[in-house]
Amino acid sequence: MASEKQEFISHPLIQEETVLRRSYQENIFISCLNQNSLVVIPTGLGKTIIGLMLAVHRLTEVPDSRVIFLAPTKPLVNQHYESFRSLTVLNHDSLRPITGTISPDERKQLWQDLKIAFMTPQVLQNDIISNQYTLEDVSLIIFDECHRAVGDYAYCFIAQKYMENSTNPQILGLTASPGSESEKIQEIKQNLFIDHIEIRTENDADVKPYIHNVDNEWIKVKLPKEFTEIQNILSDKLKNIYKHLKNQELLNSYDVTKVTRRDLLKLNKTINGRISRARNDDEKYMLFYAKKLQANAIRLSHMSELIETQGINALKDYLDKNQEKIKRNKANKSLQELFRDNEFKRLINLTNQIQAKGIVHPKIEKLDELLREQLINNPLSRILVFCHFRDSVNNIVKYFKDDTVVKAHKFVGQANKGSDKGLTQKQQIGLLEEFKEGIYNTLIGTSVAEEGLDIAECDLVVFYDVVPSAIRSIQRRGRTGRKKEGKVFILMAEGTRDEGYYWAEKAKESNMRRNLKKIQKLQQASESEEQTSLMNYISKQEENEEDDDVLNRNLNHTEKIQGADKYTIICDNRETASPVVRTLSLMGINLVLKQLEVSDYVISERVGVERKSGQDFLDSIKDGRLFKELMELSNNFECAILILEGDPFKNTNINANAIYGAISSIILNLGITMYRTTDVDETATFLYHLVKKEQTHEKAPVKLRFEKAPVDLTYLLEYIIAGIPGVNTLRARSLLDKMKTLQAIFNADIGDLMQIENIGKKIAQEIYKISRFKYKNDKTA
């Protein structure tokens, strides 16, 4: 790599002599001026700096404006914030990371003084939906890891709201890996309103001088002969299942090497569809049996992958979890039957015997060798090890427990999986700091560690397994070679699906590079054609858009309805995971997010709406919650409505008569109105017309609390105080025990309130603020 001349970027808002001048960054920056741009750039080449350059330019060019920098996770948000904080001269109070740990009211208050906000998309989405602040004065939004801007991901909604509401909008999308298909690039372009695509590869002239060499080495290991018998049992059982499914014309082959996990997962929908069309009980019986076989085939295929790519401990953990389900009577019939099978019992015994011998997997021994050699030769090394399965992460961490050379810690997502606790985003940030400081020199991570994390000290990355994804593979490799040369080792079990995944990943990555080269050539040619060729290339499928469902879904953005902001719907805040709420917001309806005890949407004091997808409707019949939820809905609203989204009769094994019976009971016994919609858009449209009709003439007040007010005065006082945000019944009792009256509580100072048990500073401030707030009836004509 060529040595850099110590020249620095000069700008009034950038700290002097902090940002090195690099030609490719300046070239990209210039090309992105005044147009919505997608930048594809190899990892480690300072995409944050490109974002910073454009951010300070926009703040200078559009005075009194703001910038938002979005990233998918809190550790990434924090990383970008720290970079901007150290490289700009902006007042530190005007730069803030805003995450879900900050309350909505605090976020609204913070927004007033911000110049650059660093946020996760989920937080910004919720604040936009609930009208916490406006995007009108935001002059730039940066979408980091913008390859996520597909489907229902929050980036898509945010981009549309931003383009509708900002007076001076500009979008910058940043990614190292946009995907292997041109259709994926088209979808990102469409969802982020991209006008211009700027691409750099390691071979570009302005990039080459700054590329650090990264050695990639594939290491093959041979499975121990002790695994063979387990593999044979799994293969024989899978072959027998596949033969049966092929005979029923549900699979095209019974070759174990040709049937993929995706084939098995798609089978469920096919079988359910055939069950719904079955003409007699014999046919239904055969199809239900096929469902059991399909469920066990997925389990057996997963076990085969575990023994091949992860080892005996991972397989043993999986078997133990399922045996625990059976003991607790939480297992379905197919699982119970599989574990009663004599050959499968033999597999369990073999697993126990092999584990007792101390045989794990040759990968763990090779990993031990690689890590030890690296850390002995370079004690200051930082190493990332990637695993596809969390069980493998735990097993590797356990293997290196108390090791004096390899100081390992797990780095996983937030979700708890049974007794295995995840890491909060705060813990993840703390762990990365400890990793940089050397308290740990090795992180064993799942996919959560793949994306965007900039750890300059990381000089070795190890893939414990192979991922058949170009995006994930590029992201994994990109964790090293960022500030100095690095190494990547990929462990592969010979003659297993590791090899299949290897070739699949190679093909996808080659396809992505091929597409990027084509786009790059067209971009260069388009300079003399006003850059029309590039857009034509990646938009070529628009000519046949009626034949392309993927493109159709994204080509038309939801249009704002004039006058819709006159109407208010209260939405359960858990519904923000559904596209319905986002669609309502895009229509322009005023939305209030609350955690509702009853209903998903409250239209008025008398109208409450529950929404269920076809699948959720069927699931809630099975688990018994449907009628409990709907009885609550009926008891709390004069006009209770159930929206059934989708077709519950399609792709199900529940008898049609049972579904008709449930629907009849809902209408006749509970008196609930049912309305069927085909999809999310129709659901949102129906809700819009409901609220328009209900609130246009009657001006019906919107219901906020559902439990009846108590008659007894003591309980009534608790009920009133428990209506304050953050105050539950326990805190209400503490306040009343000490203060005795509402008057005393509302007249108290913050310090007095904080003396009361269970009342902290935030709640004390909330009580103080509410008790002195002057009521404004904005609805009064």
Side-chain angles (χ1 to χ4, degrees):
M1 177 184 154
S3 60
E4 295 179 7
K5 294 179 182 178
Q6 295 297 299
E7 293 182 22
F8 297 91
I9 292 173
S10 177
H11 189 280
L13 295 181
I14 296 178
Q15 291 271 14
E16 288 185 15
E17 298 193 357
T18 57
V19 181
L20 282 167
R21 184 183 295 280
R22 291 183 170 183
S23 58
Y24 70 90
Q25 289 174 340
E26 289 188 298
N27 293 340
I28 292 171
F29 162 71
I30 291 166
S31 74
C32 293
L33 290 175
N34 304 317
Q35 56 185 337
N36 293 344
S37 302
L38 167 61
V39 174
V40 181
I41 185 170
T43 54
L45 288 180
K47 61 181 178 177
T48 304
I49 299 300
I50 296 167
L52 181 144
M53 291 166 71
L54 196 57
V56 296
H57 169 76
R58 291 295 283 171
L59 290 176
T60 308
E61 184 182 56
V62 188
D64 301 321
S65 70
R66 309 171 203 271
V67 169
I68 298 174
F69 200 128
L70 294 173
T73 64
K74 190 174 176 181
L76 261 180
V77 165
N78 197 62
Q79 182 176 290
H80 293 310
Y81 161 67
E82 292 294 346
S83 295
F84 273 59
R85 193 169 181 267
S86 63
L87 297 175
T88 68
V89 297
L90 290 165
N91 187 315
H92 288 172
D93 289 338
S94 69
L95 306 171
R96 281 294 297 265
I98 300 181
T99 61
T101 55
I102 302 171
S103 73
D105 284 346
E106 284 182 272
R107 296 200 297 266
K108 187 174 184 178
Q109 193 66 37
L110 284 171
W111 181 259
Q112 307 304 318
D113 302 317
L114 285 179
K115 294 301 289 180
I116 306 179
F118 302 85
M119 311 174 80
T120 55
Q122 290 76 17
V123 169
L124 180 57
Q125 172 185 272
N126 288 353
D127 286 352
I128 291 170
I129 288 170
S130 53
N131 297 310
Q132 290 288 337
Y133 37 77
T134 177
L135 300 179
E136 187 179 0
D137 60 352
V138 174
S139 60
L140 174 67
I141 295 186
I142 301 167
F143 294 84
D144 189 26
E145 309 297 348
C146 70
H147 52 267
R148 289 175 173 244
V150 292
D152 291 329
Y153 193 67
Y155 276 179
C156 310
F157 166 79
I158 291 167
Q160 185 170 348
K161 290 293 280 189
Y162 174 57
M163 294 302 291
E164 285 175 1
N165 292 296
S166 174
T167 52
N168 288 286
Q170 186 174 352
I171 284 172
L172 175 65
L174 301 170
T175 183
S177 44
S180 57
E181 303 297 329
S182 58
E183 289 84 355
K184 173 86 179 283
I185 301 172
Q186 160 63 23
E187 189 175 353
I188 295 166
K189 166 188 168 278
Q190 178 69 33
N191 289 337
L192 295 184
F193 299 84
I194 297 300
D195 306 311
H196 169 78
I197 300 178
E198 190 70 21
I199 300 164
R200 288 295 185 280
T201 69
E202 293 91 341
N203 298 318
D204 284 312
D206 59 351
V207 168
K208 253 185 178 179
Y210 307 101
I211 294 290
H212 295 277
N213 185 49
V214 175
D215 290 329
N216 289 274
E217 185 178 341
W218 293 84
I219 300 174
K220 288 189 177 184
V221 297
K222 288 189 176 181
L223 294 181
K225 62 181 187 301
E226 288 85 353
F227 286 9
T228 305
E229 200 169 349
I230 289 177
Q231 286 176 290
N232 289 341
I233 292 171
L234 291 168
S235 182
D236 288 345
K237 295 196 78 60
L238 279 170
K239 192 177 288 184
N240 289 333
I241 290 174
Y242 293 166
K243 276 184 179 178
H244 185 94
L245 295 173
K246 186 175 186 296
N247 290 337
Q248 287 195 277
E249 298 180 349
L250 291 165
L251 284 177
N252 295 323
S253 171
Y254 58 83
D255 186 337
V256 174
T257 62
K258 289 182 180 176
V259 179
T260 66
R261 189 81 53 82
R262 183 177 291 180
D263 294 331
L264 293 173
L265 291 169
K266 287 197 300 190
L267 258 188
N268 192 53
K269 190 173 181 180
T270 304
I271 295 171
N272 284 340
R274 281 174 60 170
I275 288 171
S276 66
R277 299 189 299 273
R279 290 162 293 187
N280 54 59
D281 289 341
D282 288 343
E283 189 181 352
K284 280 187 180 178
Y285 173 80
M286 292 298 291
L287 288 165
F288 279 120
Y289 181 63
K291 264 183 83 72
K292 284 201 285 189
L293 292 180
Q294 178 253 2
N296 280 335
I298 291 171
R299 294 183 181 112
L300 292 165
S301 175
H302 180 62
M303 285 183 248
S304 179
E305 181 172 6
L306 290 177
I307 188 70
E308 287 180 357
T309 68
Q310 309 299 313
I312 206 71
N313 289 345
L315 177 60
K316 179 72 164 58
D317 288 343
Y318 180 76
L319 293 171
D320 288 347
K321 284 176 188 175
N322 282 295
Q323 284 179 313
E324 188 65 25
K325 278 186 187 176
I326 292 168
K327 284 178 187 174
R328 293 176 178 272
N329 201 26
K330 291 185 176 179
N332 57 30
K333 286 183 180 178
S334 60
L335 183 63
Q336 292 173 23
E337 287 179 13
L338 179 64
F339 274 70
R340 282 199 298 265
D341 179 85
N342 287 330
E343 273 296 278
F344 196 78
K345 286 179 181 177
R346 189 161 74 85
L347 180 147
I348 294 171
N349 289 333
L350 283 168
T351 302
N352 292 332
Q353 290 167 20
I354 294 169
Q355 190 184 49
K357 290 178 183 177
I359 298 169
V360 182
H361 194 288
K363 281 185 182 180
I364 195 77
E365 293 158 10
K366 178 54 71 173
L367 180 66
D368 188 336
E369 179 189 321
L370 294 172
L371 301 191
R372 211 166 288 284
E373 183 182 347
Q374 177 75 11
L375 290 165
I376 289 170
N377 292 335
N378 184 2
L380 298 178
S381 266
R382 298 291 183 274
I383 303 169
L384 278 171
V385 180
F386 288 106
C387 300
H388 186 57
F389 299 105
R390 195 188 279 193
D391 282 346
S392 295
V393 169
N394 293 331
N395 284 324
I396 293 170
V397 170
K398 198 184 299 179
Y399 181 90
F400 288 108
K401 188 180 179 185
D402 300 325
D403 196 295
T404 55
V405 177
V406 181
K407 300 168 189 173
H409 199 290
K410 73 176 184 179
F411 192 86
V412 297
Q414 298 181 78
N416 296 326
K417 299 191 175 180
S419 59
D420 180 26
K421 299 293 182 187
L423 296 174
T424 66
Q425 292 190 331
K426 186 176 181 181
Q427 288 173 318
Q428 290 171 8
I429 292 169
L431 190 54
L432 288 173
E433 287 303 315
E434 291 174 336
F435 182 58
K436 289 175 182 178
E437 291 166 14
I439 296 171
Y440 302 105
N441 55 28
T442 306
L443 291 183
I444 318 295
T446 53
S447 58
V448 73
E450 291 172 359
E451 207 167 50
L453 296 177
D454 186 5
I455 303 162
E457 298 81 4
C458 181
D459 48 9
L460 175 62
V461 166
V462 182
F463 290 26
Y464 192 74
D465 40 34
V466 187
V467 286
S469 161
I471 290 176
R472 290 186 60 193
S473 187
I474 290 167
Q475 293 287 355
R476 281 184 174 190
R477 292 199 305 268
R479 296 316 104 214
T480 191
R482 300 177 79 84
K483 300 290 190 298
K484 57 184 176 180
E485 292 188 355
K487 284 187 285 189
V488 175
F489 291 122
I490 301 101
L491 302 180
M492 181 195 299
E494 197 173 334
T496 70
R497 69 191 67 205
D498 268 348
E499 290 192 345
Y501 288 165
Y502 163 73
W503 291 111
E505 188 278 324
K506 290 290 281 183
K508 288 177 182 177
E509 194 169 334
S510 295
N511 193 38
M512 185 185 81
R513 292 185 186 281
R514 191 163 50 249
N515 276 325
L516 288 176
K517 280 181 182 177
K518 286 179 182 176
I519 295 171
Q520 194 174 33
K521 283 180 182 177
L522 286 169
Q523 172 130 327
Q524 289 165 355
S526 71
E527 289 175 2
S528 59
E529 301 170 9
E530 299 180 347
Q531 298 203 353
T532 57
S533 299
L534 173 64
M535 294 301 115
N536 289 337
Y537 169 72
I538 62 173
S539 303
K540 60 185 177 182
Q541 302 238 359
E542 288 182 27
E543 295 171 10
N544 299 309
E545 63 191 33
E546 66 278 4
D547 298 323
D548 194 331
D549 290 337
V550 175
L551 291 181
N552 273 345
R553 195 168 59 244
N554 296 286
L555 284 172
N556 296 312
H557 297 282
T558 303
E559 290 187 10
K560 192 169 185 178
I561 299 172
Q562 192 171 2
D565 57 350
K566 293 186 292 187
Y567 311 117
T568 298
I569 298 177
I570 295 179
C571 310
D572 183 41
N573 54 22
R574 289 158 292 195
E575 277 286 296
T576 55
S578 151
V580 173
V581 174
R582 298 196 286 271
T583 305
L584 289 170
S585 178
L586 290 169
M587 287 176 169
I589 295 168
N590 183 37
L591 302 177
V592 177
L593 297 181
K594 289 187 175 292
Q595 188 157 337
L596 299 176
E597 295 173 25
V598 181
S599 80
D600 292 324
Y601 302 93
V602 177
I603 305 298
S604 70
E605 183 80 25
R606 71 188 192 100
V607 183
V609 180
E610 183 78 15
R611 168 190 165 267
K612 288 199 178 294
S613 67
Q615 189 58 53
D616 187 29
F617 181 76
L618 298 174
D619 291 342
S620 60
I621 290 175
K622 289 179 189 175
D623 60 29
R625 61 189 159 86
L626 178 66
F627 287 96
K628 183 182 175 185
E629 289 174 357
L630 295 182
M631 282 177 69
E632 287 287 321
L633 186 72
S634 181
N635 289 338
N636 279 280
F637 293 97
E638 178 188 335
C639 182
I641 299 169
L642 172 63
I643 295 177
L644 183 53
E645 191 179 287
D647 187 352
F649 296 95
K650 208 172 181 181
N651 302 321
T652 180
N653 55 7
I654 297 180
N655 188 286
N657 290 333
I659 299 172
Y660 279 122
I663 292 171
S664 302
S665 294
I666 291 165
I667 296 169
L668 299 176
N669 298 342
L670 298 180
I672 290 175
T673 301
M674 283 190 70
Y675 184 80
R676 169 111 173 274
T677 63
T678 54
D679 55 25
V680 164
D681 289 336
E682 192 178 341
T683 298
T685 301
F686 176 60
L687 286 168
Y688 163 69
H689 285 286
L690 268 181
V691 72
K692 181 182 178 184
K693 184 72 174 174
E694 177 70 1
Q695 294 182 11
T696 297
H697 303 298
E698 297 294 326
K699 292 287 182 185
V702 180
K703 189 170 187 172
L704 295 174
R705 297 183 75 177
F706 298 97
E707 66 273 30
K708 291 181 180 177
V711 175
D712 183 273
L713 284 176
T714 298
Y715 292 120
L716 182 60
L717 293 179
E718 291 178 6
Y719 174 83
I720 292 167
I721 295 298
I724 297 169
V727 178
N728 55 22
T729 305
L730 179 67
R731 289 182 175 128
R733 285 173 185 161
S734 297
L735 284 161
L736 288 162
D737 281 342
K738 185 74 175 177
M739 297 287 191
K740 303 303 180 190
T741 67
L742 296 180
Q743 184 179 20
I745 292 169
F746 290 134
N747 284 336
D749 291 326
I750 292 171
D752 296 331
L753 292 167
M754 287 174 63
Q755 300 300 315
I756 298 168
E757 188 181 2
N758 300 318
I759 304 299
K761 186 177 180 181
K762 282 186 181 178
I763 293 174
Q765 288 173 334
E766 190 70 17
I767 295 169
Y768 185 86
K769 181 179 80 175
I770 287 171
S771 64
R772 288 152 179 80
F773 185 80
K774 291 183 180 179
Y775 175 68
K776 298 172 186 173
N777 186 1
D778 294 333
K779 302 296 181 186
T780 305

